[in-house]
Amino acid sequence: MARRGLGSKGQKITLLTNHFKVNVGSVDGHFFHYCVSLSYEDGRPVDGKGVGRKVIDRVQETYSNELDGKNFAYDGEKSLFTVGPLPNNKLEFTVVLEDVTSNRNNGNASPEGHESPNAQDGKRIKRPYQSKTFKVEISFAAKIPMQAIQSALRGQESENSQEALRVLDIILRQHAAKLGCLLVRQSFFQNNPDNFTDIGGGVLGCRGFHSSFRASQGGLSLNIDVSTTMIIRPGPVVDFLLANQNARDPFSLDWTKAKRTLKNLRIQVSPSNQEYKITGLSEQMCKDQLFSLKQRSVKNDDGEAENLEITVYEYFVNHRNIQLRYSADLPCINVGKPKRPTYIPLELCSLVSLQRYTKALTTFQRASLVEKSRQKPQERMTALSSALQRSNYSAEPMLRSCGVSISTNFTQVEGRVLPAPRLKVGNGEDFFPRNGRWNFNNKKLVEPTKIERWAVVNFSARCDTNSLVRDLVRCGDMKGIRIDPPFDVIQESNQNRRCSPVVRVEKMFEEIQSKLPGAPQFLLCLLPDRKNSDLYGPWKRKNLAEFGIVTQCMAPTRVNDQYLTNLLLKINAKLGGLNSMLAIEQTPSIPVVSKVPTIILGMDVSHGSPGQSDIPSIAAVVSSRQWPLISRYRASVRTQSPKLEMIDSLFKRVSDKEDEGIIREVLLDFYTSSGKRKPDQIIIFRDGVSESQFNQVLNIELDQVMEACKFLDENWNPKFVVIVAQKNHHTKFFQQGSPDNVPPGTVIDNKICHPKNNDFYLCAHAGMIGTTRPTHYHVLLDQIGFSADDLQELVHSLSYVYQRSTTAISVVAPICYAHLAASQVGTFIKFEDASETSSSHGGVTAPGAVPVPQLPRLKESVCNSMFFC
């Protein structure tokens, strides 16, 4: 929806942003869009990636005259663009490529390849490449006026304007491809070891740059940012495998796992430097693996070459005179076809650089990647300036022919710093957070709970439980939480430690039932591993879904008062208390929200990692309760088809009277917890959808919410607000001449925002390390009629009601809670480590192809609690 005006509250601040102004000289011309179809001589379509660019380059070299010397912008797949038309609407060409290896070999593959492991033996298999003939068909598809870029800047977006900006982005991609970069959407990574950093497990973080064109209020701009992706460590395959499996030597490797990890990776084989794609491993070891070698010198009775059965090891050592140090007792790498394998000893194979690693990272890899890739604001600005200079876009012929020129200065924008909201704590005290943070030193919680019937459960963690309980009671007392002595401390018996996680939890519950007089109100659970304990999922499931018991897990290493206070913040919220609240909630004086019953929803869908194509996605909807509060929430979590971004269980009609959807559950809870009032206003915060999916949020999700409301009461017409929050974009803000991040509460709604639509950037939190990533809020619908100031104020306030920490957070609390709820309930179902079973590099199944396992429902005693805190 269109912007209703700009905000004015807050203290003005001048900022710089990583958008660079773009001027477009030619406005009268047209981009011409052509479809490209590539096939081999025999008519088979070309499916290999990376060949397309080479073929089109060759077409351009060979047939320059027939093409009127035009420059192309080619996307590497099926689309090609030119400025002005080609001579004909349909053109056909034939080209020959000598050596089609990967598009990123950086020139170190030898085109002759006569030493390949199977060249001298009478071409035992045809070399996969040698030279190939391609047929290329280029046919006219559409005409895009460059005028469309100007209309986009006036806020008149159309199919044409999006296409025109896409052409400019494709030119940037092509520019990077010609430099031998790895392309990941609009991010480009060069093969320069200075940009690599080891994050463990044979994986490197590779630093590169994102660049894309954006239409904004201030005109067209180029958005450039630092970007990091993961790549496989290049070099000897064996070194990668040792690091990947953390193995001592090649003989202790798990080859079944290795086969999955290596499939589809590209290697270079010495001594020929020829490039191949790994298709698998040999069944047997190198010294035992036989194949048929055609002997030209020995003919049989029919005059044909005799076949000699020979091992791979013998062939390389005796026929090719290549010394092998350690490959004899290891499997060979297979680079052939399923029916015609081609085996190469392991030690002759090296992984090519710049191959993406697409599996989920371990906790340690992720931590290492974050630590090594963060940059302070000034560092980042310097890196961006030099990237823009090095990219040398002014020399790019396609950009020149559109008359595109790019400024080298960061765009200056006006921001405003909103004042922090006043908070309430215990004993009627209130205070203002400073720099986005506060603490509970010498303060009580605003609504502390009592912990009465409780026990400690220890899963073999090393810990002095008596002193832990003593310290917890003492810290609780300081915060106003009365903690009775626990019923018992239940230690796991030694013989159970070796059982599976599910069995360990079962046995522990048998113990609990035998030792406690009745169901406890709360269990404190001590886990032996600091991160990702495999007991966590089964334990949470048992407590929440089977018994309805509130539980808090902890790993008792490095425990101090601050740790215990943070733990108590979580426990207090789970048990129904409140740690702090906004002063405007208590008086109720929140603009718009306090006037009439209003429910606030946070919605999020979390997916398995990119390699996991068969893990259900998890949808979570978090909703506010007890209006006029906006600090208390509950969560509903459901599974849905893998990779499905739109939530499909908001409205689920099962009969004329019954709806099993999430929204009905949410509305009924709001009604009962808010003094039997229906919400007149429904404010929805949706996380993690891209601009291309905004319409679906309105047409699919909002539609279901409206249906659920009508189904509940057809005469009821609440008003809706829908706001999308985005974190993974590439806009950053910097303070001019200051090494610090922007102050918490900084809001920007001018110059670099959308020319027409209602959006703004907010940095609610204090960026302590690295460069602050602002949250980009898009208001897709507002039937209530918020002023810009009131809406920005509400979003800012919702960053201060997060009960788990004493800081403002970077995105509104309901969205954070939706993440937490999805990830916690997601651990209830053990999806067998599917990242291993599905093919690693881009295994994708069509959404909705597999039946989705349902999550167990939480018991009534906990389903409306903040169990996810």
Side-chain angles (χ1 to χ4, degrees):
M1 58 164 279
R3 181 178 273 109
R4 284 211 175 92
L6 302 174
S8 59
K9 278 193 182 162
Q11 195 175 348
K12 290 200 168 31
I13 182 173
T14 301
L15 303 169
L16 296 176
T17 175
N18 57 342
H19 286 235
F20 299 86
K21 186 149 181 50
V22 176
N23 284 315
V24 185
S26 57
V27 282
D28 308 329
H30 286 81
F31 289 121
F32 280 72
H33 178 188
Y34 294 89
C35 275
V36 175
S37 136
L38 303 179
S39 54
Y40 296 111
E41 256 175 314
D42 57 7
R44 283 179 305 127
V46 173
D47 51 359
K49 268 204 168 152
V51 183
R53 288 191 192 276
K54 295 199 156 182
V55 173
I56 294 296
D57 283 350
R58 181 54 56 89
V59 167
Q60 225 173 339
E61 288 161 29
T62 318
Y63 298 101
S64 180
N65 292 343
E66 287 86 333
L67 297 163
D68 284 359
K70 280 245 181 279
N71 288 311
F72 290 168
Y74 175 51
D75 71 352
E77 310 260 326
K78 296 202 161 42
S79 293
L80 182 148
F81 300 87
T82 55
V83 177
L86 292 173
N88 291 315
N89 277 351
K90 190 162 192 182
L91 296 158
E92 291 188 10
F93 303 106
T94 304
V95 291
V96 177
L97 288 187
E98 290 72 48
D99 178 48
V100 193
T101 51
S102 109
N103 57 334
R104 288 198 301 276
N105 59 24
N106 307 308
N108 44 16
S110 72
E112 324 76 44
H114 291 313
E115 309 168 77
S116 85
N118 38 35
Q120 257 106 47
D121 48 32
K123 302 283 181 291
R124 186 167 47 80
I125 69 153
K126 284 206 175 67
R127 285 245 354 269
Y129 298 126
Q130 219 66 63
S131 73
K132 282 201 173 165
T133 304
F134 295 91
K135 292 208 304 225
V136 184
E137 231 178 64
I138 298 177
S139 43
F140 173 76
K143 186 171 156 184
I144 306 155
M146 289 190 188
Q147 198 62 52
I149 296 175
Q150 305 310 117
S151 43
L153 300 177
R154 289 195 297 274
Q156 300 160 341
E157 273 192 286
S158 63
E159 202 72 353
N160 270 342
S161 62
Q162 281 166 350
E163 276 296 288
L165 290 179
R166 189 170 86 103
V167 178
L168 295 179
D169 281 345
I170 286 169
I171 297 172
L172 297 184
R173 277 179 66 88
Q174 174 174 281
H175 183 70
K178 289 197 164 135
L179 299 171
C181 291
L182 160 65
L183 311 183
V184 182
R185 295 183 292 280
Q186 283 299 129
S187 294
F188 316 125
F189 304 91
Q190 283 181 319
N191 188 16
N192 174 357
D194 293 350
N195 299 336
F196 301 165
T197 165
D198 198 323
I199 60 166
V203 182
L204 307 181
C206 173
R207 183 175 283 174
F209 292 93
H210 164 94
S211 57
S212 64
F213 288 97
R214 318 264 317 164
S216 64
Q217 292 136 306
L220 189 64
S221 62
L222 180 68
N223 175 206
I224 298 187
D225 194 20
V226 176
S227 177
T228 305
T229 191
M230 283 81 65
I231 60 170
I232 302 269
R233 182 155 100 195
V237 170
V238 70
D239 292 352
F240 164 70
L241 289 175
L242 292 175
N244 183 253
Q245 298 188 14
N246 197 11
R248 281 191 319 281
D249 55 60
F251 305 101
S252 44
L253 286 167
D254 170 345
W255 290 103
T256 321
K257 195 172 173 191
K259 183 177 174 179
R260 285 196 296 260
T261 315
L262 293 175
K263 194 170 163 55
N264 291 335
L265 291 176
R266 297 191 318 279
I267 52 168
Q268 217 172 43
V269 173
S270 82
S272 68
N273 282 346
Q274 198 49 53
E275 236 181 68
Y276 298 93
K277 190 190 243 180
I278 299 179
T279 51
L281 297 175
S282 59
E283 296 292 314
Q284 288 162 306
M285 299 304 155
C286 184
K287 66 174 191 328
D288 305 322
Q289 182 66 52
L290 293 165
F291 71 94
S292 304
L293 174 61
K294 268 201 180 132
Q295 291 183 290
R296 287 191 163 162
S297 49
V298 185
K299 300 274 194 289
N300 64 12
D301 299 347
D302 304 334
E304 286 176 5
E306 281 271 328
N307 279 351
L308 171 68
E309 288 289 306
I310 183 175
T311 68
V312 176
Y313 182 80
E314 210 179 322
Y315 165 73
F316 274 87
V317 173
N318 298 340
H319 290 243
R320 297 280 304 281
N321 296 323
I322 295 173
Q323 287 310 304
L324 297 177
R325 297 195 326 278
Y326 59 79
S327 296
D329 294 307
L330 299 172
C332 305
I333 299 276
N334 179 9
V335 296
K337 299 270 186 294
K339 296 270 188 291
R340 310 183 68 171
T342 303
Y343 297 122
I344 301 167
L346 193 64
E347 67 194 72
L348 303 181
C349 302
S350 275
L351 289 158
V352 173
S353 192
L354 292 185
Q355 301 192 71
R356 276 184 83 191
Y357 179 80
T358 53
K359 288 209 172 97
L361 295 180
T362 64
T363 321
F364 300 108
Q365 284 174 323
R366 182 173 288 127
S368 171
L369 181 69
V370 168
E371 188 189 345
K372 290 176 177 173
S373 58
R374 61 175 174 233
Q375 289 173 304
K376 291 205 154 46
Q378 295 301 69
E379 251 180 281
R380 187 172 284 246
M381 283 181 82
T382 313
L384 296 178
S385 292
S386 65
L388 185 54
Q389 276 160 348
R390 275 201 316 272
S391 66
N392 195 10
Y393 286 139
S394 54
E396 160 61 48
M398 274 298 281
L399 290 178
R400 290 176 75 158
S401 54
C402 320
V404 166
S405 62
I406 299 165
S407 156
T408 53
N409 299 325
F410 286 76
T411 297
Q412 194 172 324
V413 292
E414 278 283 298
R416 290 170 292 112
V417 182
L418 301 178
R422 199 157 49 117
L423 297 181
K424 283 276 179 205
V425 289
N427 295 342
E429 276 185 77
D430 54 3
F431 64 96
F432 284 100
R434 295 182 51 176
N435 195 25
R437 331 173 64 79
W438 62 96
N439 62 50
F440 279 110
N441 296 349
N442 311 322
K443 297 186 184 72
K444 301 261 194 278
L445 306 182
V446 69
E447 283 184 26
T449 47
K450 291 194 196 88
I451 305 180
E452 293 163 326
R453 304 183 315 281
W454 73 288
V456 180
V457 167
N458 185 8
F459 282 101
S460 309
R462 274 191 240 137
C463 168
D464 175 353
T465 43
N466 291 337
S467 75
L468 175 69
V469 168
R470 206 171 46 243
D471 291 343
L472 192 69
V473 171
R474 178 174 53 79
C475 287
D477 187 52
M478 282 157 43
K479 300 289 154 264
I481 300 175
R482 204 189 83 220
I483 306 178
D484 291 350
F487 275 142
D488 206 342
V489 174
I490 301 163
Q491 304 283 356
E492 181 175 41
S493 62
N494 275 344
Q495 72 258 33
N496 292 344
R497 286 169 66 168
R498 306 243 166 337
C499 302
S500 73
V502 176
V503 172
R504 287 173 74 178
V505 169
E506 288 288 340
K507 301 256 193 227
M508 184 61 88
F509 257 89
E510 287 165 18
E511 283 281 287
I512 293 169
Q513 283 169 304
S514 68
K515 289 194 172 164
L516 300 188
Q521 173 203 13
F522 170 69
L523 289 174
L524 179 66
C525 169
L526 310 183
L527 296 172
D529 311 301
R530 248 191 90 213
K531 282 266 186 266
N532 296 11
S533 167
D534 48 9
L535 290 160
Y536 183 86
W539 171 256
K540 286 285 182 191
R541 176 177 181 146
K542 197 82 177 156
N543 279 277
L544 296 172
E546 291 181 38
F547 288 93
I549 299 169
V550 174
T551 157
Q552 175 62 52
C553 296
M554 64 178 282
T557 49
R558 296 207 291 259
V559 174
N560 55 23
D561 280 11
Q562 189 184 357
Y563 180 97
L564 291 173
T565 303
N566 286 342
L567 200 71
L568 284 162
L569 294 182
K570 287 157 61 70
I571 295 169
N572 190 50
K574 288 177 184 181
L575 288 171
L578 266 185
N579 303 328
S580 61
M581 64 196 289
L582 303 171
I584 49 174
E585 279 180 279
Q586 214 173 27
T587 49
S589 55
I590 307 165
V592 187
V593 172
S594 298
K595 290 196 175 65
V596 293
T598 302
I599 187 171
I600 296 174
L601 306 182
M603 311 207 299
D604 179 49
V605 176
S606 61
H607 307 289
S609 66
Q612 305 169 317
S613 51
D614 41 9
I615 284 204
S617 292
I618 296 180
V621 176
V622 159
S623 58
S624 62
R625 43 203 317 265
Q626 297 183 8
W627 177 83
L629 291 186
I630 56 171
S631 288
R632 280 194 203 278
Y633 293 86
R634 70 181 295 283
S636 294
V637 185
R638 310 275 172 97
T639 45
Q640 55 186 34
S641 302
K643 305 280 180 270
L644 179 64
E645 186 49 69
M646 292 299 126
I647 302 178
D648 66 358
S649 49
L650 296 170
F651 176 59
K652 279 206 141 147
R653 183 175 176 164
V654 281
S655 72
D656 288 350
K657 291 275 188 295
E658 276 181 292
D659 158 21
E660 286 180 354
I662 293 177
I663 294 300
R664 183 186 181 94
E665 197 180 297
V666 157
L667 293 171
L668 292 174
D669 171 71
F670 181 88
Y671 183 75
T672 51
S673 70
S674 306
K676 301 227 176 330
R677 279 188 289 249
K678 288 186 192 129
D680 291 327
Q681 300 177 152
I682 298 179
I683 300 176
I684 298 171
F685 286 96
R686 177 67 160 94
D687 184 41
V689 291
S690 61
E691 284 163 51
S692 59
Q693 297 167 313
F694 286 176
N695 282 334
Q696 288 175 285
V697 170
L698 295 173
N699 297 338
I700 298 174
E701 292 185 339
L702 179 62
D703 198 60
Q704 287 183 71
V705 176
M706 289 172 153
E707 275 195 75
C709 293
K710 282 272 170 269
F711 195 75
L712 208 55
D713 174 357
E714 59 188 50
N715 302 318
W716 170 45
N717 288 314
K719 290 182 171 155
F720 290 94
V721 174
V722 180
I723 300 172
V724 168
Q726 285 178 337
K727 290 272 302 216
N728 48 354
H729 54 81
H730 286 280
T731 297
K732 300 283 191 303
F733 298 104
F734 306 92
Q735 290 199 61
Q736 205 161 358
S738 158
D740 297 331
N741 270 309
V742 298
T746 301
V747 63
I748 294 98
D749 60 4
N750 62 70
K751 203 134 179 199
I752 57 151
C753 292
H754 193 277
K756 184 179 90 198
N757 295 350
N758 190 353
D759 67 331
F760 60 92
Y761 291 90
L762 174 66
C763 306
H765 64 301
M768 305 307 284
I769 42 180
T771 306
T772 299
R773 177 180 292 210
T775 301
H776 192 182
Y777 291 98
H778 302 259
V779 185
L780 303 191
L781 176 72
D782 173 10
Q783 297 176 336
I784 296 173
F786 272 99
S787 70
D789 277 328
D790 283 348
L791 190 61
Q792 289 167 13
E793 195 89 38
L794 173 67
V795 170
H796 187 225
S797 297
L798 283 170
S799 307
Y800 277 83
V801 299
Y802 188 59
Q803 299 294 310
R804 282 166 48 122
S805 73
T806 55
T807 60
I809 51 173
S810 64
V811 66
V812 290
I815 281 182
C816 263
Y817 289 147
H819 283 296
L820 292 172
S823 56
Q824 184 175 131
V825 178
T827 62
F828 284 17
I829 324 182
K830 180 71 177 141
F831 309 117
E832 294 319 321
D833 192 6
S835 63
E836 297 300 346
T837 53
S838 70
S839 76
S840 91
H841 301 274
V844 179
T845 16
V850 269
V852 177
Q854 293 304 304
L855 291 166
R857 291 296 165 92
L858 304 191
K859 282 277 182 256
E860 262 176 41
S861 53
V862 289
C863 73
N864 295 326
S865 74
M866 289 178 64
F867 67 85
F868 42 79
C869 245

